[in-house]
Amino acid sequence: MSLLKHGFRRPFTALTAALAAATLSLVSGGASAPALADTPGAPGAAARAAPARAIQGATGPNVPALEKALRGLPDKDTTAALVRVGGNGSWHGSAGVRDLPSHRKALENARFRAGSTTKTVTAALVLQLAAEGRIDLDGTVQRYLPGLLTGAFQPLTVRQLLTFTSGLQPGATLGPENGEGYENRFKTLTPEAVVAASVAKGPYRGPGEGPGKKQRYDNIDYTVLGLLIEKVTGDSYAHQAAVRIFRPTGMRHTSFPVGPDPRIHGPHNRGYQKLADGRLVDATEWNMSDRRAAGDMISTTADLEKFLVALFRGKIVPQPLLDREMFTVPHIKGATMSAGLQRYDAGHGKIIWLKTGARPGYNTMLAATRDLSRTLVYSVNAVDAKGEQMNPVAERITRAAFALPAQ
């Protein structure tokens, strides 16, 4: 079995089943990453890998394995990869190309669409507001956003939104990224319209349904949380993320697009999407404004590493609240998601907490052991970033970083 990217639709029997799981959906629907076979790159591709930098100790990163994971780029699945490994020792490197027409070397400091790793930032913002007494995690959406939900909905709490247990159905989209969505990539779909479409469907119905009963990974919960943050603070979500997290943590190259701006500003590697009709298209420019608090962030591997370390050290969310909400999974059958993170048991006492993201042309992961003895951040330019299986380069990177056995 290969690493199912957002998983939850199949049982976790090995790392291959779970580490991908963070990028796709839990019980129903969502985006995933492709599990494609390794393919040698074009002649001379290895020469395009940037010189890796490593600081190793006795328990430091397995540098040969990490270098091997990046070998042969670009290939048919991946055009570039950027990796940072930290904890006990550190290593960072890159491979592949900036763009396919020129085949210039990939930029290691490139900005990229960080996808659903945005949700970890959103969860941290909500927990900060909870620590300040401005949000009650047991308070309801009906209390904080009166009129948003109809009478068809039972009371559902902020905590249930954080843990994907709200029972809300997915909202509106502009179509699959490998088809209609690509044609509509410059159109605007607001978060408000996304939520309105979900509300119009009503909640999930049937035996065992209802708030707090099942865990389903979907963007809708965090889209609502974005609206809640704005209502409680009287400020934009993007500005709250900047002043509360990005600036204090030194994430100088992380931001959100302004409105429907489809561009990635600053240095970046181009992202490509394979369409259902077989064409490979440039997907770098794409209006992601409907994702906002669920997946609209643009960042770098260095910035996400800063965020990951500061978060786990209790510098962003107070430690007791962090442990209770971000490092605790709800007691629901099959649940693996906490507030903004996913728990993966790698065996032999090794637990990895992670979040992945997928936007057309870009796969992202941030992951670490709880004690930060090993951290990983990557951005992989996958040509089927939201496909059903995990990108093979991403899987190799993850296995090498956490010393997990080969499949």
Side-chain angles (χ1 to χ4, degrees):
M1 180 184 290
S2 68
L3 274 159
L4 238 206
K5 213 173 166 191
H6 304 293
F8 305 94
R9 294 186 298 176
R10 302 181 190 175
F12 296 121
T13 58
L15 163 86
T16 29
L19 277 177
T23 321
L24 229 185
S25 61
L26 279 131
V27 173
S28 69
S32 52
L36 304 170
D38 298 348
T39 303
R48 284 190 286 270
R53 300 167 180 83
I55 301 174
Q56 283 186 274
T59 58
N62 185 338
V63 173
L66 288 163
E67 291 175 341
K68 183 179 179 181
L70 298 183
R71 198 169 295 159
L73 297 185
D75 63 18
K76 72 181 182 67
D77 309 316
T78 309
T79 59
L82 316 175
V83 184
R84 297 185 75 89
V85 179
N88 293 332
S90 64
W91 181 92
H92 56 101
S94 62
V97 296
R98 194 180 312 182
D99 61 88
L100 290 176
S102 75
H103 269 225
R104 293 173 297 170
K105 184 176 70 175
L107 297 167
E108 186 177 1
N109 65 338
R111 300 177 188 185
F112 51 82
R113 299 195 188 280
S116 287
T117 60
T118 306
K119 292 182 176 70
T120 313
V121 171
T122 301
L125 285 173
V126 172
L127 294 178
Q128 278 193 2
L129 291 166
E132 295 167 6
R134 301 176 70 181
I135 289 178
D136 178 357
L137 297 182
D138 293 317
T140 65
V141 172
Q142 287 88 340
R143 168 187 167 188
Y144 289 110
L145 295 167
L148 182 72
L149 304 179
T150 66
F153 291 84
Q154 298 177 44
L156 60 96
T157 68
V158 176
R159 182 178 283 107
Q160 287 163 349
L161 291 174
L162 284 167
T163 58
F164 306 95
T165 59
S166 69
L168 293 174
Q169 296 201 54
T173 74
L174 291 172
E177 287 81 357
N178 64 351
E180 183 184 3
Y182 172 73
E183 301 301 329
N184 292 330
R185 67 193 182 281
F186 298 124
K187 293 184 178 179
T188 296
L189 179 64
T190 66
E192 291 81 1
V194 171
V195 175
S198 170
V199 173
K201 294 178 184 178
Y204 282 104
R205 296 179 174 87
E209 296 291 357
K213 301 274 184 75
K214 290 183 179 179
Q215 190 171 72
R216 289 181 173 92
Y217 182 94
D218 195 88
N219 288 324
I220 188 62
D221 298 278
Y222 278 67
T223 304
V224 174
L225 285 172
L227 300 179
L228 191 151
I229 289 167
E230 293 186 335
K231 182 66 180 292
V232 168
T233 64
D235 192 11
S236 72
Y237 168 82
H239 188 248
Q240 283 293 299
V243 299
R244 287 176 171 272
I245 295 179
F246 300 162
R247 293 175 194 169
T249 311
M251 299 168 67
R252 296 190 302 112
H253 306 296
T254 301
S255 62
F256 289 89
V258 177
D261 188 351
R263 296 166 294 175
I264 299 175
H265 293 274
H268 59 277
N269 300 317
R270 306 297 292 183
Y272 297 89
Q273 173 68 45
K274 186 176 181 179
L275 301 183
D277 63 12
R279 287 182 294 152
L280 185 67
V281 296
D282 191 320
T284 311
E285 277 77 44
W286 200 303
N287 176 1
M288 304 281 181
S289 55
D290 61 313
R291 304 296 176 180
R292 200 183 314 178
D296 199 18
M297 184 169 65
I298 292 171
S299 192
T300 67
T301 54
D303 273 9
L304 289 182
E305 185 178 61
K306 291 176 183 177
F307 170 64
L308 180 66
V309 172
L311 179 67
F312 278 46
R313 285 180 174 167
K315 300 293 182 62
I316 296 175
V317 176
Q319 200 72 57
L321 187 61
L322 183 74
D323 289 338
R324 188 167 65 248
E325 305 298 338
M326 276 195 155
F327 293 107
T328 303
V329 173
H331 297 293
I332 295 173
K333 183 179 179 181
T336 65
M337 299 295 298
S338 65
L341 291 174
Q342 182 178 14
R343 182 185 189 274
Y344 171 64
D345 187 343
H348 305 290
K350 181 182 289 184
I351 303 296
I352 301 169
W353 293 91
L354 62 103
K355 187 70 191 77
T356 61
R359 301 308 306 140
Y362 303 92
N363 278 154
T364 306
M365 178 188 278
L366 53 85
T369 53
R370 181 65 186 91
D371 63 0
L372 292 172
S373 59
R374 175 62 65 242
T375 67
L376 168 66
V377 176
Y378 70 62
S379 171
V380 171
N381 291 76
V383 302
D384 191 13
K386 295 180 74 65
E388 190 65 22
Q389 303 266 336
M390 191 175 189
N391 177 275
V393 176
E395 182 170 343
R396 293 199 302 265
I397 291 167
T398 304
R399 291 185 181 282
F402 288 102
L404 301 168
Q407 192 175 349

